Amino acid sequence: MPTLGVNIDHVATVRQARQTDEPDPVWAAVEAQLGGAACITFHLREDRRHIVDRDVPLLKEVVNVRLNMEMAIAPDVVDIACRTRPHQCCIVPEKREEVTTEGGLDVVRLGDRLQGVVSRLRDAGSVVSAFIEPDPAQIDASAAAGFQTVELWTGGYAHAADDESRQGAVLKLIEAVRHAHAAGLTVHGGHGLTYRNVGPVAAIAGFEEFNIGHSIMARAMFVGIRSAVREMDQLLRQHAPKE
Ligand code: PXP
């Protein structure tokens, strides 16, 4: 049964829109846990556009489920991760001009640069994950660089223009999960998953966690975070492959 990781960055985005202290993403993390989240995910970006340094130790303190820190390999962010020692660090590509993480990390190209960061984070006690496209070469490079987990980018599925390409994207994910398991990696997934489209991806065997942010926080505006998280968690359970 895959578990649900809830990304709380959007709450911090609303706060930063007014450079004030509400709404508090730390409070959102508590609400998400009360709704059944198995993991709280946040992204400390280099430009601190949503989550800021003040949030990180507070999240570490209030999160009693797994805490997943998304991050680029910027030295100051790596230092914060090593001090914080979240349960998991997920390395993502980061571009200042992007609205959100737009695709997977190019582990094939970055291999050597990643190895040192991965071993520092592992030595600090975190599980280290690579956010990559469902591509065998990226999976092999992730295993070689010392990652223990890969989070497969589900954007190819979520953004597919028609049924045929959506089906193709599902098959690509199925293959990638198999390939990652054969390489000894744990498999997570995320990006662009919504209440409407999550079913076929949740039904793929072998995913241990899905990280979902935008759709949950969009619904939370109307029904509250607890209910929004509970509904998504129920969908994952409903569609989970029979064990
Ligand atoms: N996983 C990773 C690594 C991400 O960067 C994001 C986006 O912040 C997500 C999952 C969640 O994506 P979404 O907000 O589209 O659900």
Side-chain angles (χ1 to χ4, degrees):
M1 242 297 288
T3 56
L4 175 60
V6 176
N7 184 312
I8 54 161
D9 294 345
H10 277 16
V11 178
T13 299
V14 175
R15 175 189 63 188
Q16 296 313 107
R18 286 294 174 94
Q19 302 280 326
T20 179
D21 59 2
E22 64 178 4
D24 192 333
V26 179
W27 188 343
V30 174
E31 289 290 321
Q33 290 176 90
L34 291 171
C39 173
I40 300 296
T41 294
F42 68 97
H43 184 174
L44 183 68
R45 296 186 73 103
E46 271 188 88
D47 62 10
R48 308 297 199 266
R49 72 167 75 149
H50 41 54
I51 297 293
V52 296
D53 294 33
R54 163 267 184 203
D55 302 327
V56 180
L58 292 174
L59 286 168
K60 168 82 176 176
E61 205 174 316
V62 305
V63 172
N64 296 316
V65 294
R66 282 177 283 119
L67 183 64
N68 175 33
M69 176 169 170
E70 290 179 9
M71 53 186 279
I73 53 170
D76 71 312
V77 177
V78 175
D79 287 346
I80 291 172
C82 288
R83 278 202 303 277
T84 308
R85 304 167 70 241
H87 176 268
Q88 179 174 286
C89 294
C90 180
I91 310 296
V92 301
E94 212 174 279
K95 287 189 240 135
R96 273 174 198 267
E97 64 279 12
E98 71 192 355
V99 176
T100 181
T101 314
E102 280 166 358
L105 190 69
D106 191 348
V107 185
V108 171
R109 191 173 59 80
L110 288 168
D112 290 347
R113 282 183 63 201
L114 290 168
Q115 256 175 22
V117 172
V118 173
S119 68
R120 262 192 82 194
L121 293 168
R122 284 184 65 157
D123 288 349
S126 297
V127 171
V128 192
S129 166
F131 184 50
I132 56 168
E133 300 203 6
D135 167 2
Q138 296 294 347
I139 293 167
D140 291 340
S142 301
F147 287 98
Q148 297 129 298
T149 300
V150 284
E151 179 170 330
L152 299 177
W153 179 71
T154 50
Y157 163 80
H159 306 317
D162 52 51
D163 283 349
E164 196 184 336
S165 38
R166 218 169 349 265
Q167 188 52 29
V170 168
L171 293 175
K172 214 168 164 186
L173 286 166
I174 292 171
E175 256 324 296
V177 172
R178 271 201 212 119
H179 196 96
H181 283 165
L185 296 159
T186 301
V187 184
H188 298 168
H191 191 86
L193 298 176
T194 69
Y195 296 87
R196 273 179 296 200
N197 73 13
V198 77
V201 173
I204 298 173
F207 278 103
E208 292 200 6
E209 178 181 288
F210 290 108
N211 280 299
I212 306 179
H214 180 85
S215 192
I216 291 176
M217 290 307 155
R219 183 163 298 206
M221 247 184 240
F222 303 107
V223 303
I225 291 176
R226 280 186 222 187
S227 299
V229 169
R230 208 175 290 127
E231 282 178 55
M232 186 61 86
D233 193 44
Q234 274 164 4
L235 277 178
L236 292 186
R237 287 171 196 278
Q238 191 182 312
H239 291 280
K242 304 282 170 275
E243 278 163 6

